[in-house]
Amino acid sequence: MANRSVIWKTLRTGLILSAWILLMPVCGLASESHPAPGRLLLLASDDGTLHQRVLLSLERQIVNLPVSRSTAVASAESAMAQISGYDCQDCLIVTSGVNALRLGLEHSREAHILAIAIPEESFLQLIRQRTDRGRISAIYMEVSLQRMAEIISQRLTGIASVGIVSGDGQYLATEKRQGHPSEVPLLQFREYGVPRETDLIEVFTQASRENQAILAVPDPRIFNRDTIVRIMLTTYRSNTPVIGYSEAMTRAGALMSVFSSPEMLGEEAGELIANALRAQRWQHTDRHTERYTVTINPQVARSLRIRVKESP
């Protein structure tokens, strides 16, 4: 008990120190073919290091390929003019982050758009009312639910039921509508909606009691710097591990997290563009990232007495 008390105090301190970190996050259309883009605009949401890392990794994949390219930052005054200059059927605008996609959609009509470094939920909110979805592609920054189930089964033993908490309780239904597998034979997923912010802890308490693990999905209404400490403490008291979607969540108290690094996101998008240029054909894309890394919080694992396999 004394050892557990020390771990608890250390974990609580770590949670508070990690709370300020902004948590990264985080189909159905026919795959129509178009000519490969001749001009490329790389649009970052801001001039921070995260988007720089994404776009630099992307550029390394296309540096020797015959495409005219330029870079822009959505927060800069010149961004709107740059977007307008690349609004043509022969153009591709790659947006890194939510703000870049929002600005790209507002100031373009003809260019194809590839959204990267963006959670699926944020992407769907931005394009929900649009009638030009055929020109808007995306590689979501979070790993697919099916792949997450495989990773959980490989790394953790004895986990059969996993709870998912979302703002509207429609995450699994949305995945199914988008054509992404939302039911997997390896695990049983149970979803819990949070109708009001005041219900957050009550919902997490219920989900923790009724499941062997909680899978965090990138929903800023649920997981943000104001709620993460309360969520982690609630699940910890129930001895229920949280599986996160960013390195920051591992530091904040998740047992483990599965995520794609900025370099992975950029490299994956760069290879997609490079292949399109070599094939002289651009195809609509709407999928989750296929590259990921896994981080483990050994302190939480020891405290919860859970063995996490370092590799499958």
Side-chain angles (χ1 to χ4, degrees):
M1 288 297 293
N3 183 49
R4 181 177 174 86
S5 176
V6 171
I7 293 174
W8 168 254
K9 291 178 181 177
T10 305
L11 175 63
R12 183 183 179 93
T13 302
L15 289 172
I16 295 172
L17 290 174
S18 300
W20 67 271
I21 300 173
L22 179 61
L23 302 179
M24 283 182 60
V26 85
C27 294
L29 292 176
S31 183
E32 186 179 352
S33 179
H34 300 273
R39 303 176 65 217
L40 179 63
L41 177 65
L42 305 179
L43 180 63
S45 287
D46 54 56
D47 57 2
T49 57
L50 187 150
H51 297 296
Q52 289 180 15
R53 290 165 61 189
V54 170
L55 296 179
L56 281 174
S57 294
L58 186 157
E59 285 190 280
R60 292 191 190 102
Q61 305 303 312
I62 60 172
V63 64
N64 295 319
L65 294 175
V67 60
S68 170
R69 67 182 184 277
S70 183
T71 59
V73 178
S75 56
E77 292 183 3
S78 60
M80 288 182 287
Q82 287 179 282
I83 294 169
S84 297
Y86 277 81
D87 187 22
C88 63
Q89 294 182 355
D90 186 40
C91 297
L92 173 65
I93 301 174
V94 181
T95 62
S96 180
V98 175
N99 291 335
L101 176 59
R102 182 182 293 111
L103 198 69
L105 291 173
E106 289 175 355
H107 297 281
S108 70
R109 295 292 179 270
E110 297 184 354
H112 291 283
I113 292 178
L114 173 61
I116 61 175
I118 187 170
E120 180 182 19
E121 173 69 18
S122 300
F123 176 81
L124 294 177
Q125 286 181 1
L126 287 174
I127 70 165
R128 187 160 289 144
Q129 303 300 324
R130 300 193 67 92
T131 59
D132 58 348
R133 292 181 61 173
R135 73 181 181 99
I136 309 168
S137 295
I139 301 178
Y140 308 129
M141 67 187 298
E142 65 264 39
V143 176
S144 71
L145 189 64
Q146 185 177 35
R147 187 70 187 113
M148 284 296 305
E150 294 172 358
I151 295 168
I152 293 169
S153 296
Q154 291 167 355
R155 300 292 185 116
L156 303 174
T157 57
I159 301 294
S161 63
V162 177
I164 295 175
V165 178
S166 63
D168 56 9
Q170 294 296 308
Y171 176 79
L172 294 176
T174 300
E175 287 295 289
K176 187 174 182 178
R177 267 197 314 273
Q178 291 295 107
H180 305 151
S182 58
E183 297 178 5
V184 293
L186 301 172
L187 293 175
Q188 179 184 9
F189 288 106
R190 297 191 183 105
E191 185 168 3
Y192 302 79
V194 182
R196 296 179 302 273
E197 185 178 348
T198 54
D199 297 328
L200 182 70
I201 298 307
E202 181 181 347
V203 172
F204 268 97
T205 299
Q206 179 186 358
S208 298
R209 288 173 178 168
E210 295 178 356
N211 298 279
Q212 295 165 303
I214 299 294
L215 175 62
V217 295
D219 187 336
R221 295 167 296 183
I222 304 300
F223 297 97
N224 56 64
R225 67 181 71 186
D226 296 323
T227 63
I228 189 63
V229 170
R230 289 182 290 152
I231 290 171
M232 292 298 181
L233 292 177
T234 298
T235 56
Y236 185 84
R237 290 189 185 107
S238 300
N239 291 322
T240 306
V242 173
I243 299 158
Y245 53 81
S246 72
E247 189 172 13
M249 292 195 79
T250 306
R251 294 194 298 267
L255 172 65
M256 72 177 190
S257 293
V258 183
F259 60 94
S260 185
S261 69
E263 287 76 17
M264 289 177 179
L265 294 171
E267 185 178 88
E268 186 174 19
E271 288 185 3
L272 177 71
I273 296 168
N275 290 336
L277 293 173
R278 294 187 185 103
Q280 290 297 298
R281 183 179 62 198
W282 175 257
Q283 260 181 315
H284 180 271
T285 299
D286 184 354
R287 62 175 173 81
H288 293 270
T289 181
E290 296 173 352
R291 304 182 185 192
Y292 63 88
T293 187
V294 178
T295 58
I296 299 168
N297 189 322
Q299 184 182 20
V300 173
R302 286 193 300 270
S303 180
L304 296 180
R305 297 181 181 179
I306 296 175
R307 180 176 175 268
V308 184
K309 296 179 183 177
E310 291 291 337
S311 58

